[in-house]
Amino acid sequence: MKKQEFLGDLQSEITFRNFKAKSPLFFQDLVMTAGVLTADYHKALALIPMRQFVPLRVTKTRCLLAIHCMEYLKSDIGPYSEVSISIPVKPVHSK
């Protein structure tokens, strides 16, 4: 099934910093490697700009940290690579 048959006319043309693209972007082929590690809770907390969120703890002093490496082989904007480093968070007052 072609993406146009599945999603209809969902995409629209956009311009971003003089670059023409479609929104939402479609990624037809990619390779990804990911890992989830632990990090020092207080060091991770210092990196979070929004004080209503805190890192997701796994122990009293450690939190989660995720690393994703993606190689987009075919997409609406052509091939490119991307690395993402993220800290899973939760609202301050949640359990």
Side-chain angles (χ1 to χ4, degrees):
M1 178 183 293
K2 294 180 182 177
K3 68 181 178 185
Q4 289 83 6
E5 294 171 357
F6 180 71
L7 296 170
D9 295 325
L10 183 62
Q11 284 184 304
S12 58
E13 297 286 331
I14 62 168
T15 301
F16 182 75
R17 296 185 182 158
N18 298 321
F19 180 77
K20 293 193 183 295
K22 295 179 181 179
S23 180
L25 291 175
F26 291 122
F27 301 90
Q28 295 84 12
D29 192 11
L30 68 97
V31 177
M32 180 181 80
T33 299
V36 179
L37 313 162
T38 66
D40 180 273
Y41 176 84
H42 294 289
K43 289 180 180 178
L45 180 63
L47 296 172
I48 298 171
M50 301 169 69
R51 292 295 128 209
Q52 67 263 38
F53 296 102
V54 294
L56 189 59
R57 287 184 195 257
V58 292
T59 70
K60 185 175 181 175
T61 60
R62 306 294 290 177
C63 67
L64 293 177
L65 178 115
I67 301 172
H68 296 86
C69 302
M70 285 89 50
E71 183 178 4
Y72 297 100
L73 304 170
K74 184 177 179 187
S75 76
D76 289 340
I77 58 173
Y80 70 97
S81 298
E82 178 179 320
V83 175
S84 166
I85 301 172
S86 59
I87 300 168
V89 297
K90 66 175 190 159
V92 172
H93 300 294
S94 70
K95 291 187 178 190

